Amino acid sequence: MMNLQTFVTVLRGCTDDDTFKKLLEQITSGEATKWLSQERSDLLSSALRELDPHASSLGWAVVLAVLADRPDYPSREFLSHAAIFLRHLSPVHLRHCWPQVRAVADKFVFYSLQLNEPLAAVEPLTRALRRLAPTPNHITLMHPLLMQVCLKAQCYHAASLVLAHDVLEVTPAETGVNVEDVLRYFYYGGMVWIGLKQFTRALDLFTFAIAAPANAASAIVVECYKKLVLVSLLECGTLPPLPKHTAPVVARVLRKGQVPDYQVLADAYASHDAARVARVVEVRRQAYEDDRNLGLVKQCVESLHKRNVQRLTQTFLTLSLADIAARVGLPGPEAAERLILRMVEEKSVCASISQRDGMVAFRDSPVQYNDLAAVARLDACLARSIALSKRARAVDNSIAVSKEYVDHYVHDDGLDSTAAMYGVHA
């Protein structure tokens, strides 16, 4: 068994390769954590000061993980050490100690939230994420933690810079990521897009979480579905079917009324009856509050009024404010006027209001989507679609030639079909 001084000496490169390999074995097996746990906290802190956080990231991770497990260790001091580690870590040897890296990062976020300082955690986690990710399209164990602190600090811009890159690579050995990390990233990322009013992007992330391969329906997936219901009503006005690749066990849970409060709201919304929706919200208000979704539910109620106004534009050219209020389900003409003005400002409807007689005249939108800005947006969408298509073909080709796929195909399909050809049955 090593001691602390030998541990530091080895990590500083002052010993032979065999000694370093033995240390790696002890770290991987957890033996190093056991004998480091017997050292005093002040000695462990001193050891960190003797090690370079970049060249000796392995040692920093293991020592900090031990300190993270000590409730009496000062939280401020731990935050200071952990921030240095996250800013300067090197992923070269960290694959030998992903559990320790996770313990340090989790405790760093825990203390940041406990001290109500989530904004201070954004920059260190962003740096750690960029250092750990081989490419911007890789997801790491830092991704969900960064989304979490960005949400708490309402620092949506920092999160959006990461979310702008599609997750195309999930490599646990390289990045320490696991299934829960992926699901949490989609959940927190979707909430970030909700905060930025980017509802289509939020829908994408919630859909990815629901369609992820699964052996059971996790609580994260259920929460994603609740958010998906509300965001779908906001963005599309309807509740879409589950993704066709949804795992059967997940589909059964979501279809068997595990989220009745949200299914009832979706059914009421589909009726375009504002009074019915209001009654559902009133009866089930506590459930929405407990899920912390009441704000989104209120936005759904307001969006139904807007959709009902838009439906009126398909039938009437002119209509009085009083008639609009009655048909849409608003308290009176004043509320209808405020809603129409807000919708005109948002460019969701094209209309004018006569102050003389309170009549609203609806007009066709002057936007023809034939300007340079529209063409640029279309080109960007096409380029992204082409890039994703190429990526999908590359992944398909790599799977087709992989040893695991070939062995599975030969065993399950090739041999069975050959046997059937010659009339041999198992």
Side-chain angles (χ1 to χ4, degrees):
M1 184 177 72
M2 292 186 181
N3 56 38
L4 183 58
Q5 189 55 48
T6 306
F7 177 80
V8 172
T9 302
V10 172
L11 288 171
R12 293 177 67 179
C14 301
T15 59
D16 54 63
D17 291 341
D18 290 338
T19 306
F20 183 73
K21 289 179 180 178
K22 290 180 181 178
L23 177 59
L24 284 181
E25 291 175 0
Q26 292 190 24
I27 290 174
T28 304
S29 65
E31 190 66 28
T33 300
K34 292 180 181 178
W35 50 260
L36 282 173
S37 298
Q38 300 174 10
E39 300 286 348
R40 299 202 318 263
S41 296
D42 60 329
L43 294 179
L44 293 175
S45 297
S46 298
L48 290 178
R49 286 189 284 270
E50 294 183 45
L51 296 172
D52 181 272
H54 180 75
S56 302
S57 295
L58 182 66
W60 271 72
V62 176
V63 172
L64 281 175
V66 172
L67 293 175
D69 200 36
R70 296 183 175 179
D72 58 337
Y73 190 74
S75 56
R76 291 284 182 188
E77 189 169 348
F78 180 85
L79 284 174
S80 177
H81 288 315
I84 294 173
F85 169 69
L86 293 171
R87 290 190 182 102
H88 301 285
L89 63 81
S90 171
V92 175
H93 292 122
L94 291 184
R95 65 180 57 192
H96 297 285
C97 62
W98 286 128
Q100 288 87 342
V101 176
R102 181 180 298 278
V104 173
D106 286 345
K107 184 64 74 170
F108 177 73
V109 171
F110 174 79
Y111 280 146
S112 298
L113 299 180
Q114 186 183 62
L115 297 173
N116 199 26
E117 297 177 357
L119 187 60
V122 172
E123 180 262 340
L125 287 171
T126 302
R127 287 198 182 189
L129 183 152
R130 290 173 178 170
R131 287 179 174 275
L132 287 179
T135 71
N137 299 117
H138 277 75
I139 183 172
T140 73
L141 63 89
M142 301 295 173
H143 276 71
L145 297 176
L146 176 62
M147 296 299 115
Q148 184 180 1
V149 296
C150 285
L151 273 172
K152 193 68 175 179
Q154 296 186 348
C155 185
Y156 300 136
H157 176 69
S160 68
L161 296 178
V162 176
L163 290 167
H165 300 283
D166 295 319
V167 173
L168 302 176
E169 299 286 350
V170 182
T171 53
E174 289 184 277
T175 61
V177 70
N178 60 30
V179 174
E180 184 179 340
D181 292 328
V182 176
L183 294 179
R184 288 175 60 213
Y185 174 68
F186 289 148
Y187 177 68
Y188 288 136
M191 292 178 67
V192 168
W193 285 131
I194 290 174
L196 292 170
K197 304 297 183 182
Q198 298 286 331
F199 296 126
T200 300
R201 294 188 174 188
L203 278 176
D204 288 341
L205 293 188
F206 294 141
T207 302
F208 293 156
I210 293 170
N215 295 322
S218 68
I220 301 174
V221 170
V222 173
E223 292 303 314
C224 283
Y225 184 71
K226 293 176 182 179
K227 291 284 194 303
L228 180 137
V229 171
L230 299 177
V231 177
S232 296
L233 297 181
L234 281 171
E235 182 66 11
C236 311
T238 59
L239 178 60
L242 291 174
K244 63 179 181 179
H245 298 300
T246 304
V249 64
V250 174
R252 283 195 298 271
V253 168
L254 298 181
R255 286 170 178 161
K256 285 185 177 180
Q258 293 295 318
V259 286
D261 299 312
Y262 296 84
Q263 188 61 55
V264 170
L265 179 63
D267 293 341
Y269 196 100
S271 70
H272 304 291
D273 187 343
R276 178 181 171 186
V277 171
R279 288 194 298 271
V280 170
V281 174
E282 185 63 29
V283 171
R284 302 173 184 267
R285 182 187 186 92
Q286 189 60 50
Y288 301 138
E289 284 185 351
D290 293 342
D291 291 337
R292 297 184 179 181
N293 285 331
L294 185 59
L296 275 177
V297 171
K298 289 180 177 179
Q299 291 183 54
C300 289
V301 174
E302 182 179 356
S303 72
L304 180 59
H305 292 146
K306 293 180 179 180
R307 290 189 184 281
N308 285 341
V309 169
Q310 290 172 334
R311 292 176 68 238
L312 292 177
T313 66
Q314 301 172 9
T315 306
F316 301 95
L317 292 177
T318 59
L319 206 61
S320 69
L321 288 171
D323 285 339
I324 292 176
R327 292 174 181 271
V328 172
L330 294 170
E334 294 80 8
E337 183 176 7
R338 288 194 298 271
L339 178 62
I340 296 293
L341 291 175
R342 189 160 61 250
M343 293 180 67
V344 170
E345 185 178 357
E346 296 171 353
K347 297 182 179 179
S348 58
V349 71
C350 190
S352 60
I353 302 176
S354 172
Q355 294 298 322
R356 183 180 61 184
D357 53 10
M359 296 296 293
V360 179
F362 298 113
R363 301 191 301 274
D364 292 333
S365 174
V367 180
Q368 300 299 318
Y369 301 102
N370 57 1
D371 56 356
L372 292 178
V375 173
R377 289 196 298 272
L378 180 60
D379 286 342
C381 290
L382 288 174
R384 183 171 180 269
S385 298
I386 292 172
L388 288 174
S389 176
K390 290 181 178 178
R391 180 64 187 174
R393 284 198 297 270
V395 171
D396 183 66
N397 291 335
S398 66
I399 292 175
V401 299
S402 67
K403 183 179 182 302
E404 294 82 359
Y405 176 79
V406 172
D407 290 345
H408 179 78
Y409 176 78
V410 171
H411 178 72
D412 290 351
D413 296 328
L415 293 181
D416 291 346
S417 60
T418 302
M421 183 183 302
Y422 291 97
V424 180
H425 302 282

